[in-house]
Amino acid sequence: MAAAMRGVAFIRNIVGSLHLRLQILGGASQQLSCLHTSISLDSKHWEKNNLKVYPPQLLDEPRRPAEVYHSRRQIKYSKDKMWYLAKMIRGMSIDEAIAQLEFNDKKGAKIMKEVLLEAQEMAVKNHNVEYKSNLYVAESFSGKGKYLKRIRYHGRGMFGIMDKVYCHYFVKLVEGLPPKPEQMTSFDQAKDYVQSLKNRTIIHSL
Amino acid sequence: MATSMTRTFGALRSVTCSSLKNAELALDVRHPGPLFLPVRTKKRYFIPPAVGLKGKKEENPEAKARAAGIVFRQQYFERPINIACSAGVFDPYIPPEGDARLSTLSKEGLKQRTEQIRQSATSQLAIRKIKEHDSEFSTKTFAEQAQEIFVEAHNALTHFNREKLHSLVTERCYPEMTRGNRYKTIRWRFVESLEPPRVVHARCPDMVTKGNLYGQVTVRMHSKQTIAIYDRFGRLMLGSEEQPKDVLEYLVIERHLINPYSRWRLHGKIVPSWAPPKDPVIKTVAIPGPELNPWEEYDALNYKVPKPASVQWNK
């Protein structure tokens, strides 16, 4: 009986501490959630990145590479299908990306190529980029646009709601050579494996 | 036979419908019922908005909105005109060639220096007209005032103080000074004045109606200035902060004379045809090549890059 009581009290203590922790977490998330309350559907945040002005650089600082943000909204294409193309050109230099998109058979490839060419022209004209080939795709992704809803007629008087899908496409071009992804040699991988084995600690050992 | 068939079918259907309805009520599931007979159908709780719009384009939404009570503001098909400044420089001053090349001590230099504004009659007339409206005007003090306006205007440009800039610079000159500069940092410094500024030219054009007078006075100043323009990312685009340059400028200062609250403001600059070329931008720029026909080839050796014609222009 006494053991059971102690057990119940133990469980109650655990539950109580869990509740406290959850409340603290909840409170923290409440404080953090106010960071996300200002975004609405009409805000074009991606383009506003182009308006940021940096202070003049001192002589000993390395030259800051130029960044150009561009996007196209409400493209009549699926965001999932657009993602494949966006993933393909991530990290490519701009000439390579334009070449790949030109000979790609998808519908989104043509639109993406137009967006990249526009962004390249903007970079040279407005953002003081010296050589138009000296750019690479730093970020490229697609997002969901505002869908139109229509009826899709089924048999027996049933209907489904058909979404006419639209997507946005965002791209960020940075001046300079594209960063090379680090190639792990097999020897390095083996070294990492052996190191991870050596890092293991055995608790409660002598 | 047929009637019995229909009766059985009807009975079957009613049974199935009732059983279905019971199931729905029990599970609280909502979906539209099947349409076989004109039986009372289940209510459609969601109809997408495009259903009714297929053929109805005769009603215009404007009439509907007005009927609903929304009041539209009156549309003005007007273009705003600014009368606080004139549109350009009228009868611009043509600076003599080699203005700043000769030193003051040589004979030609002295001749040029003694060339007084009194030689030009229209300028004298204009100055007299200006003195009618503005009693405090005098050619001797005005040049200093003009230089002060110039320096203050450029300082306001570096800090981008819009209100102050509008009070020191006319509406025609403002976009020329600030176009493209919004996302750039400009650092400008007036080091010193090499020669005292002089009034060289004056005109008093009247726009549209006879009495609407604007006074435009051209001031020549020779000074040392440094300028450095940084782009959006803080990289140097033009000039340098340490190296000052000798600058000979012809400023046009304007005032709307009839308006008692008007001020003398910078209206523009005159760039003579013999002005030396400016420093190049710190950037490689592609010059477009010649237009070739399909059978022609580009001959790099024989092609000369066309130079711009040296014409005096007002900035």
Side-chain angles (χ1 to χ4, degrees):
Chain A
M1 255 302 277
M5 286 292 286
R6 256 180 262 134
V8 164
F10 179 56
I11 288 164
R12 267 199 208 136
N13 280 339
I14 291 172
V15 169
S17 63
L18 274 173
H19 270 308
L20 274 172
R21 274 185 207 156
L22 281 168
Q23 273 173 12
I24 288 163
L25 277 173
S29 69
Q30 269 167 27
Q31 281 166 1
L32 286 170
S33 66
C34 60
L35 289 170
H36 297 281
T37 49
S38 58
I39 294 292
S40 66
L41 280 169
D42 299 332
S43 56
K44 307 273 188 239
H45 190 70
W46 191 253
E47 287 82 353
K48 282 185 193 159
N49 286 322
N50 273 336
L51 307 177
K52 186 171 173 198
V53 182
Y54 292 88
Q57 279 185 308
L58 307 163
L59 285 164
D60 49 352
E61 277 178 35
R63 192 174 152 96
R64 194 181 275 128
E67 294 174 346
V68 179
Y69 294 82
H70 194 45
S71 69
R72 190 179 281 202
R73 309 277 177 169
Q74 298 294 116
I75 305 168
K76 183 73 191 69
Y77 202 49
S78 158
K79 68 172 168 40
D80 301 313
K81 294 175 193 167
M82 199 63 137
W83 181 85
Y84 287 109
L85 294 163
K87 175 77 181 154
M88 181 177 78
I89 66 168
R90 255 174 229 176
M92 282 190 187
S93 70
I94 192 162
D95 288 337
E96 205 187 326
I98 290 172
Q100 289 295 324
L101 290 171
E102 194 176 323
F103 295 102
N104 192 308
D105 295 328
K106 288 182 185 267
K107 172 172 147 183
K110 192 171 158 188
I111 299 161
M112 249 199 209
K113 189 182 134 189
E114 283 169 27
V115 174
L116 283 180
L117 287 170
E118 268 174 26
Q120 192 186 40
E121 208 197 307
M122 256 169 58
V124 172
K125 270 175 84 176
N126 303 343
H127 297 98
N128 193 29
V129 164
E130 213 171 331
Y131 305 108
K132 66 174 194 180
S133 298
N134 196 22
L135 295 161
Y136 70 91
V137 176
E139 288 173 24
S140 121
F141 55 94
S142 65
K144 170 185 172 294
K146 266 196 193 164
Y147 292 169
L148 293 174
K149 296 200 198 316
R150 300 284 178 268
I151 305 185
R152 194 202 184 278
Y153 299 95
H154 291 273
R156 294 175 151 233
M158 305 286 217
F159 68 89
I161 309 167
M162 182 160 57
D163 283 327
K164 295 286 182 186
V165 291
Y166 287 87
C167 66
H168 305 314
Y169 175 63
F170 304 94
V171 72
K172 171 177 161 185
L173 300 174
V174 174
E175 206 180 1
L177 289 169
K180 273 181 235 169
E182 221 186 271
Q183 295 285 345
M184 276 282 268
T185 58
S186 49
F187 182 70
D188 278 331
Q189 281 178 339
K191 253 179 40 179
D192 281 344
Y193 176 65
V194 170
Q195 192 59 39
S196 69
L197 290 177
K198 286 180 182 172
N199 289 341
R200 294 176 297 181
T201 50
I202 301 168
I203 54 169
H204 301 316
S205 65
L206 294 166
Chain B
M1 275 292 281
T3 49
S4 63
M5 287 276 278
T6 46
R7 230 182 253 164
T8 46
F9 278 139
L12 265 173
R13 269 170 209 145
S14 60
V15 160
T16 47
C17 281
S18 60
S19 65
L20 272 170
K21 275 177 191 163
N22 285 337
E24 280 166 13
L25 282 170
L27 298 170
D28 202 22
V29 164
R30 287 174 183 165
H31 60 81
L35 291 166
F36 298 128
L37 300 167
V39 187
R40 198 182 306 155
T41 53
K42 196 84 173 167
K43 185 177 157 92
R44 268 76 166 128
Y45 287 104
F46 174 73
I47 300 172
V51 175
L53 289 174
K54 271 187 182 171
K56 293 180 189 173
K57 277 166 197 171
E58 296 93 24
E59 309 166 13
N60 50 344
E62 200 194 315
K64 266 192 171 173
R66 220 179 285 144
I70 301 172
V71 180
F72 292 110
R73 199 184 284 185
Q74 201 183 21
Q75 277 184 331
Y76 294 106
F77 297 100
E78 296 165 354
R79 258 182 83 189
I81 309 172
N82 198 314
I83 52 168
C85 73
S86 51
V89 183
F90 295 94
D91 211 359
Y93 172 64
I94 302 169
E97 269 222 43
D99 199 359
R101 307 295 171 78
L102 309 166
S103 71
T104 333
L105 301 173
S106 66
K107 200 167 157 197
E108 289 85 12
L110 269 174
K111 260 199 242 168
Q112 277 192 354
R113 290 296 161 270
T114 51
E115 206 183 275
Q116 295 266 333
I117 193 172
R118 274 182 212 135
Q119 288 186 1
S120 168
T122 24
S123 295
Q124 283 303 308
L125 271 171
I127 289 176
R128 216 178 298 158
K129 257 193 199 171
I130 293 169
K131 280 188 183 166
E132 266 173 37
H133 290 270
D134 180 13
S135 49
E136 292 168 354
F137 182 80
S138 117
T139 37
K140 290 167 194 167
T141 56
F142 185 71
E144 295 289 331
Q145 207 183 343
Q147 194 168 50
E148 275 166 37
I149 293 171
F150 176 78
V151 172
E152 266 185 49
H154 281 70
N155 283 329
L157 181 65
T158 51
H159 300 296
F160 203 67
N161 191 347
R162 238 173 260 177
E163 293 88 12
K164 204 170 161 205
L165 202 53
H166 270 296
S167 69
L168 291 163
V169 149
T170 58
E171 285 80 21
R172 179 213 172 245
C173 186
Y174 179 84
E176 282 180 4
M177 275 180 105
T178 54
R179 185 157 292 152
N181 292 343
R182 190 152 159 224
Y183 301 110
K184 296 191 176 90
T185 334
I186 302 177
R187 289 211 177 139
W188 179 84
R189 202 162 57 93
F190 187 82
V191 181
E192 57 169 359
S193 169
L194 295 169
E195 284 172 17
R198 270 191 310 127
V199 173
V200 290
H201 193 74
R203 284 287 182 269
C204 227
D206 41 355
M207 307 287 297
V208 188
T209 52
K210 196 173 170 266
N212 191 18
L213 281 177
Y214 293 88
Q216 289 179 350
V217 181
T218 314
V219 175
R220 169 199 182 276
M221 53 180 264
H222 194 42
S223 55
K224 255 195 189 166
Q225 297 166 18
T226 52
I227 187 159
I229 304 181
Y230 298 90
D231 67 355
R232 234 188 86 213
F233 305 99
R235 312 180 298 193
L236 189 62
M237 268 175 92
L238 182 73
S240 86
E241 283 198 59
E242 287 88 32
Q243 179 67 26
K245 297 245 168 218
D246 295 344
V247 168
L248 174 64
E249 280 172 335
Y250 298 91
L251 311 168
V252 178
I253 316 270
E254 196 199 52
R255 181 177 163 163
H256 188 193
L257 294 168
I258 306 174
N259 183 3
Y261 305 109
S262 61
R263 272 182 275 192
W264 287 103
R265 297 185 295 176
L266 183 64
H267 190 60
K269 276 192 209 174
I270 294 177
V271 180
S273 49
W274 41 264
K278 288 196 208 173
D279 272 350
V281 190
I282 305 171
K283 189 175 142 165
T284 39
V285 181
I287 304 171
E291 301 242 341
L292 296 170
N293 287 316
W295 58 88
E296 283 172 11
E297 260 189 47
Y298 173 60
D299 198 359
L301 293 169
N302 289 343
Y303 181 67
K304 279 182 192 166
V305 176
K307 280 197 181 150
S310 55
V311 180
Q312 170 172 318
W313 52 290
N314 320 334
K315 215 198 150 198

